[in-house]
Amino acid sequence: MKPDIPFDTTQLLIGGVWRGAASGATLMLENPSDGSALATIARGAAADIDASVGAARAALDAGDWGRCSAAERGRVLARIGLAVAAQADELARLEALDVGKPLKQGRADALALARYLEFYAGACDKIHGETLPYLNGYTVLTLREPHGVTGHIVPWNYPMQIVGRSVGAALAMGNACVLKPAEEACLTVLAFARIAQQAGLPDGALNVVTGLGEEAGAALSAHPGIDHVSFTGSVATGALVQAAAARSAVPVTLELGGKSPQLVFADADIDAALPFLVNAGIQNAGQTCSAASRILVERSVYADVRERMAARYKALRVGPALADLDVGPVISRRQRDVIEHYLALARDSGLAVAAQAALVADVPAGGHYVRPTLLADVPEAHAVAQQEIFGPVQVLIPFDGEADALAIANGTPFGLVAGVWTRDGGRQLRMARALKCGQVFVNNYGAGGGVELPFGGVKLSGHGREKGFEALYGFSTLKTVAIHHG
Ligand code: NAD
Protein backbone atom coordinates (compact mmCIF):
# COMPACT_ATOMS: atom_id res chain seq x y z
CA MET A 1 0.00 0.00 0.00
CA LYS A 2 1.34 3.45 -0.91
CA PRO A 3 2.10 5.50 2.20
CA ASP A 4 -0.16 8.42 2.98
CA ILE A 5 1.49 11.75 2.17
CA PRO A 6 -0.97 14.48 3.08
CA PHE A 7 0.03 17.15 0.54
CA ASP A 8 0.75 17.52 -3.17
CA THR A 9 4.44 16.66 -3.50
CA THR A 10 4.60 17.69 -7.16
CA GLN A 11 4.59 21.42 -6.49
CA LEU A 12 7.25 24.07 -6.00
CA LEU A 13 6.76 27.13 -3.81
CA ILE A 14 7.51 30.33 -5.69
CA GLY A 15 6.40 33.73 -4.45
CA GLY A 16 3.81 32.17 -2.12
CA VAL A 17 2.21 30.11 -4.91
CA TRP A 18 2.43 26.31 -5.15
CA ARG A 19 2.79 25.10 -8.73
CA GLY A 20 4.49 22.46 -10.87
CA ALA A 21 7.83 22.90 -12.64
CA ALA A 22 7.68 25.24 -15.65
CA SER A 23 8.66 22.30 -17.88
CA GLY A 24 6.01 20.03 -16.32
CA ALA A 25 8.75 17.44 -15.69
CA THR A 26 8.76 15.26 -12.58
CA LEU A 27 11.06 12.89 -10.64
CA MET A 28 10.32 9.92 -8.39
CA LEU A 29 11.35 9.58 -4.76
CA GLU A 30 12.15 6.08 -3.50
CA ASN A 31 11.51 4.56 -0.06
CA PRO A 32 14.97 3.24 0.94
CA SER A 33 13.49 0.74 3.41
CA ASP A 34 11.92 -1.36 0.63
CA GLY A 35 12.91 0.25 -2.70
CA SER A 36 9.29 1.13 -3.58
CA ALA A 37 8.21 4.31 -5.37
CA LEU A 38 7.33 6.81 -2.64
CA ALA A 39 6.20 10.05 -4.24
CA THR A 40 6.45 12.16 -7.38
CA ILE A 41 8.20 15.54 -7.10
CA ALA A 42 8.62 18.42 -9.53
CA ARG A 43 11.81 18.47 -11.58
CA GLY A 44 12.43 22.19 -11.22
CA ALA A 45 15.18 23.68 -13.37
CA ALA A 46 16.68 27.00 -14.52
CA ALA A 47 13.34 28.69 -15.33
CA ASP A 48 11.94 27.87 -11.87
CA ILE A 49 15.12 29.05 -10.16
CA ASP A 50 14.94 32.29 -12.13
CA ALA A 51 11.30 32.80 -11.09
CA SER A 52 12.21 32.06 -7.45
CA VAL A 53 15.10 34.52 -7.40
CA GLY A 54 12.73 37.12 -8.85
CA ALA A 55 10.07 36.33 -6.24
CA ALA A 56 12.61 36.55 -3.42
CA ARG A 57 13.87 39.91 -4.70
CA ALA A 58 10.30 41.20 -4.95
CA ALA A 59 9.60 40.06 -1.38
CA LEU A 60 12.50 42.21 -0.20
CA ASP A 61 11.96 45.26 -2.42
CA ALA A 62 8.18 45.50 -2.52
CA GLY A 63 6.70 42.76 -0.32
CA ASP A 64 5.65 42.33 3.29
CA TRP A 65 8.87 40.52 4.13
CA GLY A 66 11.09 43.50 3.28
CA ARG A 67 8.88 45.72 5.45
CA CYS A 68 9.05 43.49 8.55
CA SER A 69 10.94 44.90 11.51
CA ALA A 70 13.48 42.66 13.25
CA ALA A 71 10.99 41.99 16.06
CA GLU A 72 8.26 41.04 13.56
CA ARG A 73 10.64 38.62 11.84
CA GLY A 74 11.31 37.07 15.24
CA ARG A 75 7.61 36.60 15.92
CA VAL A 76 7.06 34.85 12.58
CA LEU A 77 10.01 32.52 13.14
CA ALA A 78 8.81 31.72 16.65
CA ARG A 79 5.35 30.80 15.32
CA ILE A 80 6.88 28.54 12.67
CA GLY A 81 9.07 26.85 15.31
CA LEU A 82 6.06 26.08 17.51
CA ALA A 83 4.13 24.68 14.54
CA VAL A 84 7.08 22.46 13.57
CA ALA A 85 7.36 21.12 17.12
CA ALA A 86 3.63 20.37 17.18
CA GLN A 87 4.02 18.28 14.01
CA ALA A 88 7.24 16.49 15.02
CA ASP A 89 5.70 13.01 14.87
CA GLU A 90 4.34 13.53 11.35
CA LEU A 91 7.63 15.02 10.17
CA ALA A 92 9.46 12.02 11.68
CA ARG A 93 7.17 9.66 9.74
CA LEU A 94 7.85 11.49 6.46
CA GLU A 95 11.60 11.44 7.16
CA ALA A 96 11.49 7.71 7.92
CA LEU A 97 9.75 7.04 4.59
CA ASP A 98 11.99 9.35 2.58
CA VAL A 99 15.48 9.07 4.16
CA GLY A 100 15.13 5.65 5.82
CA LYS A 101 15.80 7.21 9.20
CA PRO A 102 14.50 5.47 12.36
CA LEU A 103 11.52 7.38 13.76
CA LYS A 104 13.30 8.49 16.94
CA GLN A 105 16.06 10.14 14.89
CA GLY A 106 13.52 11.83 12.60
CA ARG A 107 11.68 13.17 15.62
CA ALA A 108 14.95 14.48 17.07
CA ASP A 109 15.64 16.23 13.74
CA ALA A 110 12.18 17.83 13.71
CA LEU A 111 12.65 19.10 17.26
CA ALA A 112 16.11 20.40 16.30
CA LEU A 113 14.50 22.32 13.42
CA ALA A 114 11.99 23.80 15.86
CA ARG A 115 14.81 24.71 18.23
CA TYR A 116 16.78 26.47 15.44
CA LEU A 117 13.72 28.56 14.71
CA GLU A 118 13.23 29.33 18.41
CA PHE A 119 16.89 30.34 18.78
CA TYR A 120 16.98 32.51 15.66
CA ALA A 121 13.58 34.02 16.49
CA GLY A 122 15.08 35.31 19.72
CA ALA A 123 18.22 36.56 17.99
CA CYS A 124 16.54 38.67 15.26
CA ASP A 125 16.40 41.91 17.27
CA LYS A 126 19.60 41.36 19.25
CA ILE A 127 22.19 41.72 16.53
CA HIS A 128 23.34 45.22 15.63
CA GLY A 129 26.14 47.42 14.39
CA GLU A 130 28.45 49.68 16.40
CA THR A 131 29.63 53.27 16.67
CA LEU A 132 33.38 53.59 16.19
CA PRO A 133 35.74 56.16 17.72
CA TYR A 134 37.32 58.12 14.84
CA LEU A 135 38.71 61.55 13.89
CA ASN A 136 37.26 64.62 15.56
CA GLY A 137 34.30 65.92 13.59
CA TYR A 138 33.17 62.45 12.46
CA THR A 139 30.59 59.99 13.68
CA VAL A 140 31.17 56.51 12.28
CA LEU A 141 28.75 53.66 12.60
CA THR A 142 28.31 50.20 11.17
CA LEU A 143 25.03 48.76 9.91
CA ARG A 144 24.54 45.00 9.84
CA GLU A 145 22.40 44.28 6.78
CA PRO A 146 21.05 41.15 5.07
CA HIS A 147 22.86 39.99 1.93
CA GLY A 148 19.53 40.04 0.06
CA VAL A 149 18.58 36.87 -1.81
CA THR A 150 20.30 33.79 -0.37
CA GLY A 151 20.54 30.39 -2.06
CA HIS A 152 20.47 27.22 0.06
CA ILE A 153 21.51 23.86 -1.41
CA VAL A 154 20.77 21.04 1.01
CA PRO A 155 21.64 17.30 1.02
CA TRP A 156 19.37 14.36 1.85
CA ASN A 157 20.90 13.14 5.09
CA TYR A 158 19.57 15.74 7.58
CA PRO A 159 17.19 17.94 5.55
CA MET A 160 15.33 19.37 8.55
CA GLN A 161 18.38 20.20 10.64
CA ILE A 162 20.24 21.77 7.72
CA VAL A 163 17.24 23.85 6.66
CA GLY A 164 16.91 24.98 10.28
CA ARG A 165 20.46 26.14 10.60
CA SER A 166 20.82 27.83 7.22
CA VAL A 167 17.35 29.09 6.29
CA GLY A 168 16.56 29.88 9.95
CA ALA A 169 19.59 32.14 10.29
CA ALA A 170 19.15 33.70 6.84
CA LEU A 171 15.52 34.63 7.52
CA ALA A 172 16.42 35.97 10.96
CA MET A 173 18.78 38.45 9.30
CA GLY A 174 16.07 39.51 6.85
CA ASN A 175 17.24 37.70 3.72
CA ALA A 176 14.79 36.08 1.28
CA CYS A 177 15.68 32.46 0.50
CA VAL A 178 15.67 30.14 -2.48
CA LEU A 179 15.99 26.58 -1.21
CA LYS A 180 16.99 23.58 -3.34
CA PRO A 181 16.58 20.31 -1.41
CA ALA A 182 18.17 17.03 -2.55
CA GLU A 183 16.50 14.94 -5.25
CA GLU A 184 16.89 11.80 -3.11
CA ALA A 185 14.80 13.13 -0.19
CA CYS A 186 12.85 16.34 0.13
CA LEU A 187 9.43 15.57 1.68
CA THR A 188 10.14 17.20 5.04
CA VAL A 189 11.48 20.30 3.28
CA LEU A 190 8.22 20.61 1.32
CA ALA A 191 6.24 19.97 4.53
CA PHE A 192 8.28 22.62 6.35
CA ALA A 193 7.57 25.21 3.62
CA ARG A 194 3.83 24.56 4.01
CA ILE A 195 4.07 24.90 7.78
CA ALA A 196 6.00 28.17 7.42
CA GLN A 197 3.44 29.55 5.01
CA GLN A 198 0.52 28.60 7.28
CA ALA A 199 2.31 30.19 10.24
CA GLY A 200 2.38 33.50 8.37
CA LEU A 201 5.76 33.71 6.63
CA PRO A 202 5.19 36.39 3.97
CA ASP A 203 5.11 35.38 0.30
CA GLY A 204 8.51 35.13 -1.37
CA ALA A 205 10.52 35.03 1.87
CA LEU A 206 11.04 31.30 1.30
CA ASN A 207 10.92 29.70 -2.15
CA VAL A 208 11.47 25.97 -2.65
CA VAL A 209 12.55 24.37 -5.92
CA THR A 210 12.94 20.58 -5.97
CA GLY A 211 14.95 19.07 -8.80
CA LEU A 212 18.27 17.62 -9.88
CA GLY A 213 21.55 19.02 -8.62
CA GLU A 214 23.03 19.49 -12.07
CA GLU A 215 19.89 21.36 -13.23
CA ALA A 216 18.21 23.29 -10.39
CA GLY A 217 21.28 23.30 -8.09
CA ALA A 218 23.67 24.44 -10.81
CA ALA A 219 21.22 27.13 -11.96
CA LEU A 220 20.91 28.46 -8.41
CA SER A 221 24.64 28.64 -7.69
CA ALA A 222 25.31 30.37 -11.03
CA HIS A 223 22.36 32.79 -10.89
CA PRO A 224 23.57 36.41 -11.09
CA GLY A 225 20.66 37.56 -8.90
CA ILE A 226 21.84 35.59 -5.84
CA ASP A 227 23.76 37.47 -3.11
CA HIS A 228 25.01 34.51 -1.04
CA VAL A 229 25.04 30.70 -1.35
CA SER A 230 25.01 28.22 1.51
CA PHE A 231 25.97 24.77 0.28
CA THR A 232 25.98 21.55 2.31
CA GLY A 233 27.08 18.41 0.54
CA SER A 234 30.04 16.67 -1.03
CA VAL A 235 33.47 18.17 -1.68
CA ALA A 236 33.21 17.72 -5.45
CA THR A 237 29.87 19.50 -5.70
CA GLY A 238 30.97 22.20 -3.26
CA ALA A 239 33.88 23.03 -5.56
CA LEU A 240 31.47 23.35 -8.52
CA VAL A 241 29.14 25.59 -6.51
CA GLN A 242 31.98 27.82 -5.37
CA ALA A 243 33.34 28.13 -8.92
CA ALA A 244 29.88 28.99 -10.29
CA ALA A 245 29.24 31.61 -7.60
CA ALA A 246 32.70 33.12 -8.15
CA ARG A 247 31.62 34.37 -11.57
CA SER A 248 29.37 36.91 -9.81
CA ALA A 249 31.77 37.29 -6.82
CA VAL A 250 29.04 35.83 -4.60
CA PRO A 251 30.15 34.70 -1.11
CA VAL A 252 29.72 31.00 -0.37
CA THR A 253 29.52 28.96 2.81
CA LEU A 254 30.66 25.36 2.25
CA GLU A 255 29.68 22.67 4.76
CA LEU A 256 31.31 19.55 3.31
CA GLY A 257 32.38 16.11 4.35
CA GLY A 258 34.59 14.72 7.07
CA LYS A 259 36.65 11.82 8.40
CA SER A 260 36.33 12.80 12.02
CA PRO A 261 38.30 11.05 14.78
CA GLN A 262 37.61 10.31 18.43
CA LEU A 263 40.83 9.98 20.45
CA VAL A 264 40.65 7.65 23.45
CA PHE A 265 43.55 7.98 25.90
CA ALA A 266 44.36 5.29 28.46
CA ASP A 267 43.25 7.51 31.37
CA ALA A 268 39.76 8.07 29.88
CA ASP A 269 36.47 7.03 31.45
CA ILE A 270 35.94 4.28 28.90
CA ASP A 271 32.50 3.32 30.24
CA ALA A 272 31.33 6.87 29.52
CA ALA A 273 33.03 6.95 26.12
CA LEU A 274 31.70 3.66 24.72
CA PRO A 275 28.16 4.69 23.70
CA PHE A 276 29.54 7.85 22.05
CA LEU A 277 32.22 5.90 20.20
CA VAL A 278 29.67 3.60 18.58
CA ASN A 279 26.66 5.90 18.19
CA ALA A 280 28.70 8.54 16.40
CA GLY A 281 29.55 5.95 13.78
CA ILE A 282 26.18 4.34 13.18
CA GLN A 283 23.70 7.23 13.68
CA ASN A 284 21.71 7.71 10.47
CA ALA A 285 23.50 4.59 9.14
CA GLY A 286 26.76 6.51 9.21
CA GLN A 287 25.48 9.08 6.72
CA THR A 288 26.42 12.01 8.91
CA CYS A 289 29.01 14.62 7.94
CA SER A 290 30.35 14.69 11.50
CA ALA A 291 30.27 10.90 11.95
CA ALA A 292 33.19 9.63 14.02
CA SER A 293 34.44 7.25 11.38
CA ARG A 294 37.92 6.91 12.95
CA ILE A 295 38.41 5.70 16.52
CA LEU A 296 42.01 6.20 17.67
CA VAL A 297 42.85 4.34 20.89
CA GLU A 298 45.98 4.42 23.06
CA ARG A 299 47.68 1.06 22.73
CA SER A 300 47.44 -0.02 26.39
CA VAL A 301 43.61 0.08 26.30
CA TYR A 302 43.17 -0.73 22.60
CA ALA A 303 42.22 -4.42 22.99
CA ASP A 304 39.69 -3.57 25.70
CA VAL A 305 38.01 -0.81 23.64
CA ARG A 306 37.99 -3.00 20.55
CA GLU A 307 36.29 -5.83 22.39
CA ARG A 308 33.70 -3.63 24.06
CA MET A 309 32.86 -1.74 20.86
CA ALA A 310 32.53 -5.08 19.07
CA ALA A 311 30.03 -6.26 21.69
CA ARG A 312 27.92 -3.16 21.08
CA TYR A 313 28.04 -3.68 17.32
CA LYS A 314 26.80 -7.23 17.71
CA ALA A 315 23.79 -5.97 19.69
CA LEU A 316 22.71 -3.41 17.03
CA ARG A 317 19.36 -3.96 15.38
CA VAL A 318 19.26 -3.01 11.67
CA GLY A 319 16.00 -2.86 9.70
CA PRO A 320 13.20 -0.76 8.19
CA ALA A 321 12.91 2.87 9.31
CA LEU A 322 9.31 2.58 10.54
CA ALA A 323 10.34 -0.31 12.83
CA ASP A 324 12.39 2.36 14.67
CA LEU A 325 15.45 0.18 15.39
CA ASP A 326 19.06 1.31 15.93
CA VAL A 327 20.01 1.56 12.25
CA GLY A 328 17.89 1.93 9.10
CA PRO A 329 18.79 1.42 5.44
CA VAL A 330 21.16 3.75 3.57
CA ILE A 331 19.63 6.24 1.16
CA SER A 332 20.04 4.44 -2.18
CA ARG A 333 21.43 1.48 -4.05
CA ARG A 334 24.22 3.76 -5.30
CA GLN A 335 25.20 4.68 -1.73
CA ARG A 336 25.12 1.03 -0.69
CA ASP A 337 27.39 0.17 -3.63
CA VAL A 338 29.89 2.85 -2.53
CA ILE A 339 29.97 1.43 1.00
CA GLU A 340 30.28 -2.16 -0.24
CA HIS A 341 33.18 -1.02 -2.45
CA TYR A 342 35.07 0.21 0.63
CA LEU A 343 34.28 -3.02 2.52
CA ALA A 344 35.67 -4.97 -0.45
CA LEU A 345 38.86 -2.87 -0.34
CA ALA A 346 39.19 -3.72 3.36
CA ARG A 347 38.68 -7.41 2.61
CA ASP A 348 41.20 -7.35 -0.23
CA SER A 349 43.81 -5.83 2.11
CA GLY A 350 43.11 -8.49 4.74
CA LEU A 351 41.91 -5.96 7.33
CA ALA A 352 40.45 -7.47 10.49
CA VAL A 353 36.68 -7.22 11.00
CA ALA A 354 36.21 -6.72 14.74
CA ALA A 355 32.43 -6.99 14.43
CA GLN A 356 29.56 -6.76 11.97
CA ALA A 357 25.96 -6.20 13.02
CA ALA A 358 23.26 -8.49 11.64
CA LEU A 359 20.09 -7.41 9.81
CA VAL A 360 16.75 -8.23 11.46
CA ALA A 361 15.17 -11.36 10.01
CA ASP A 362 12.53 -9.88 7.73
CA VAL A 363 14.11 -6.84 5.99
CA PRO A 364 12.35 -6.15 2.68
CA ALA A 365 14.34 -7.46 -0.26
CA GLY A 366 14.32 -4.13 -2.14
CA GLY A 367 15.71 -2.09 0.78
CA HIS A 368 19.24 -0.70 0.81
CA TYR A 369 20.70 -2.33 3.90
CA VAL A 370 24.35 -2.46 4.90
CA ARG A 371 25.66 -4.37 7.91
CA PRO A 372 27.40 -1.90 10.28
CA THR A 373 31.06 -2.89 10.34
CA LEU A 374 33.91 -2.22 12.76
CA LEU A 375 37.35 -2.65 11.17
CA ALA A 376 40.35 -3.12 13.47
CA ASP A 377 44.11 -2.43 13.31
CA VAL A 378 43.65 -0.29 10.22
CA PRO A 379 46.79 1.37 8.78
CA GLU A 380 46.21 5.13 8.89
CA ALA A 381 47.03 5.57 5.19
CA HIS A 382 44.48 2.95 3.99
CA ALA A 383 41.59 4.31 1.88
CA VAL A 384 39.05 3.27 4.52
CA ALA A 385 40.93 5.43 7.06
CA GLN A 386 41.38 8.42 4.73
CA GLN A 387 38.25 8.77 2.59
CA GLU A 388 34.69 9.58 3.62
CA ILE A 389 32.69 6.35 3.25
CA PHE A 390 29.37 7.84 4.36
CA GLY A 391 28.05 4.59 5.73
CA PRO A 392 28.06 2.60 9.01
CA VAL A 393 31.75 1.71 8.91
CA GLN A 394 34.26 2.68 11.60
CA VAL A 395 37.99 2.03 11.69
CA LEU A 396 40.00 1.39 14.85
CA ILE A 397 43.60 2.63 14.89
CA PRO A 398 46.01 2.20 17.85
CA PHE A 399 48.36 5.05 18.84
CA ASP A 400 51.29 5.63 21.20
CA GLY A 401 51.14 8.94 23.07
CA GLU A 402 49.91 12.45 22.29
CA ALA A 403 52.16 13.28 19.35
CA ASP A 404 51.25 10.06 17.53
CA ALA A 405 47.54 10.58 18.24
CA LEU A 406 47.66 14.11 16.84
CA ALA A 407 49.61 13.13 13.74
CA ILE A 408 47.01 10.46 12.90
CA ALA A 409 44.03 12.65 13.85
CA ASN A 410 45.21 15.54 11.67
CA GLY A 411 46.49 13.28 8.91
CA THR A 412 43.53 13.33 6.50
CA PRO A 413 42.43 15.97 3.98
CA PHE A 414 39.37 16.73 6.17
CA GLY A 415 38.89 18.79 9.33
CA LEU A 416 35.29 18.87 10.55
CA VAL A 417 35.07 17.76 14.21
CA ALA A 418 37.03 15.68 16.73
CA GLY A 419 36.41 14.05 20.11
CA VAL A 420 38.98 13.61 22.89
CA TRP A 421 38.55 11.28 25.86
CA THR A 422 40.98 11.90 28.72
CA ARG A 423 40.84 12.89 32.40
CA ASP A 424 44.06 14.94 32.12
CA GLY A 425 43.11 18.64 32.06
CA GLY A 426 46.35 19.80 30.46
CA ARG A 427 46.00 17.22 27.70
CA GLN A 428 42.40 18.25 27.08
CA LEU A 429 43.57 21.79 26.32
CA ARG A 430 46.65 20.74 24.32
CA MET A 431 44.51 18.50 22.12
CA ALA A 432 41.73 21.06 21.72
CA ARG A 433 44.26 23.58 20.45
CA ALA A 434 46.26 21.26 18.22
CA LEU A 435 43.43 19.41 16.46
CA LYS A 436 42.82 20.91 13.01
CA CYS A 437 39.04 21.06 12.73
CA GLY A 438 36.00 23.25 13.41
CA GLN A 439 34.67 21.69 16.63
CA VAL A 440 36.41 19.72 19.41
CA PHE A 441 34.44 17.77 22.00
CA VAL A 442 36.17 16.78 25.24
CA ASN A 443 34.72 13.82 27.13
CA ASN A 444 31.64 13.84 24.90
CA TYR A 445 30.97 13.77 21.18
CA GLY A 446 28.54 16.23 19.58
CA ALA A 447 27.46 17.90 22.84
CA GLY A 448 23.86 17.06 21.94
CA GLY A 449 24.14 19.01 18.67
CA GLY A 450 23.24 22.32 20.34
CA VAL A 451 22.02 24.97 17.90
CA GLU A 452 24.05 27.54 19.85
CA LEU A 453 27.39 26.00 18.84
CA PRO A 454 29.06 27.39 15.69
CA PHE A 455 29.71 24.59 13.21
CA GLY A 456 31.82 24.19 10.09
CA GLY A 457 35.12 22.85 8.89
CA VAL A 458 38.65 23.55 7.75
CA LYS A 459 40.59 21.98 4.87
CA LEU A 460 38.30 19.89 2.60
CA SER A 461 35.50 20.04 5.19
CA GLY A 462 34.71 23.55 3.99
CA HIS A 463 34.70 27.12 5.20
CA GLY A 464 32.33 29.52 6.90
CA ARG A 465 30.31 28.77 10.02
CA GLU A 466 26.62 27.98 10.52
CA LYS A 467 24.69 27.55 13.77
CA GLY A 468 24.85 29.86 16.78
CA PHE A 469 25.19 33.63 16.58
CA GLU A 470 28.12 33.19 14.22
CA ALA A 471 25.72 32.20 11.42
CA LEU A 472 24.02 35.58 11.68
CA TYR A 473 27.30 37.25 10.73
CA GLY A 474 27.65 34.84 7.82
CA PHE A 475 24.16 35.64 6.56
CA SER A 476 24.68 39.41 6.73
CA THR A 477 27.07 42.05 5.54
CA LEU A 478 28.50 45.12 7.27
CA LYS A 479 28.15 48.64 5.96
CA THR A 480 30.30 51.43 7.40
CA VAL A 481 28.79 54.92 7.50
CA ALA A 482 31.17 57.84 8.20
CA ILE A 483 29.41 61.17 8.82
CA HIS A 484 31.46 64.38 8.78
CA HIS A 485 29.65 66.97 10.87
CA GLY A 486 32.54 69.25 11.90
P1 NAD B 1 25.91 16.15 -3.09
O1 NAD B 1 27.01 17.13 -3.16
O2 NAD B 1 25.81 15.12 -4.16
O3 NAD B 1 24.48 16.88 -3.06
C1 NAD B 1 24.18 17.90 -2.16
C2 NAD B 1 23.22 18.88 -2.81
O4 NAD B 1 23.87 19.48 -3.94
C3 NAD B 1 21.94 18.25 -3.36
O5 NAD B 1 20.86 19.13 -3.14
C4 NAD B 1 22.23 18.14 -4.84
O6 NAD B 1 21.06 18.17 -5.63
C5 NAD B 1 23.04 19.39 -5.07
N1 NAD B 1 23.87 19.35 -6.28
C6 NAD B 1 24.36 18.25 -6.93
N2 NAD B 1 25.07 18.64 -8.02
C7 NAD B 1 25.04 19.99 -8.05
C8 NAD B 1 25.62 20.97 -8.91
N3 NAD B 1 26.33 20.63 -10.00
N4 NAD B 1 25.42 22.28 -8.62
C9 NAD B 1 24.71 22.64 -7.52
N5 NAD B 1 24.12 21.76 -6.69
C10 NAD B 1 24.29 20.44 -6.94
O7 NAD B 1 26.06 15.49 -1.67
P2 NAD B 1 25.28 14.25 -1.10
O8 NAD B 1 25.96 13.02 -1.55
O9 NAD B 1 23.83 14.40 -1.34
O10 NAD B 1 25.53 14.48 0.47
C11 NAD B 1 26.53 13.84 1.14
C12 NAD B 1 27.70 14.77 1.40
O11 NAD B 1 27.28 15.90 2.14
C13 NAD B 1 28.74 14.10 2.28
O12 NAD B 1 30.04 14.38 1.78
C14 NAD B 1 28.54 14.74 3.62
O13 NAD B 1 29.66 14.71 4.45
C15 NAD B 1 28.13 16.11 3.25
N6 NAD B 1 27.40 16.77 4.35
C16 NAD B 1 28.02 17.76 5.04
C17 NAD B 1 27.39 18.37 6.11
C18 NAD B 1 28.05 19.47 6.88
O14 NAD B 1 27.38 20.17 7.61
N7 NAD B 1 29.36 19.65 6.78
C19 NAD B 1 26.10 17.97 6.46
C20 NAD B 1 25.49 16.96 5.73
C21 NAD B 1 26.16 16.37 4.66
Side-chain angles (χ1 to χ4, degrees), residues 452-475:
E452 302 87 343
L453 314 179
F455 178 78
V458 299
K459 303 197 285 181
L460 281 189
S461 293
H463 55 74
R465 294 293 176 265
E466 293 191 339
K467 302 179 64 171
F469 241 68
E470 198 62 30
L472 299 170
Y473 301 121
F475 282 109

Side-chain angles (χ1 to χ4, degrees), residues 153-157 162 165 180-184 211-214 217-218 221 231-235 237 240-241 255-258 289 388 390 416 455 461:
I153 302 176
V154 168
W156 45 264
N157 59 343
I162 294 169
R165 76 184 189 202
K180 209 303 276 174
E183 53 269 48
E184 294 89 347
L212 296 174
E214 57 269 32
S221 48
F231 172 81
T232 306
S234 62
V235 175
T237 310
L240 291 176
V241 167
E255 300 278 5
L256 308 178
C289 54
E388 187 183 47
F390 226 53
L416 195 53
F455 178 78
S461 293

Side-chain angles (χ1 to χ4, degrees), residues 221-234:
S221 48
H223 198 291
I226 289 282
D227 300 305
H228 180 277
V229 180
S230 161
F231 172 81
T232 306
S234 62

Side-chain angles (χ1 to χ4, degrees), residues 7 13 18 76-88 90-91 94 110 113 117 160 187-201 206:
F7 56 86
L13 177 61
W18 290 93
V76 176
L77 290 186
R79 280 202 302 276
I80 303 171
L82 289 172
V84 166
Q87 297 190 43
E90 172 61 6
L91 289 166
L94 292 175
L113 167 57
L117 294 161
M160 287 190 275
L187 290 184
T188 52
V189 175
L190 292 171
F192 166 72
R194 286 179 188 269
I195 292 171
Q197 192 179 36
Q198 283 155 13
L201 186 66
L206 173 63

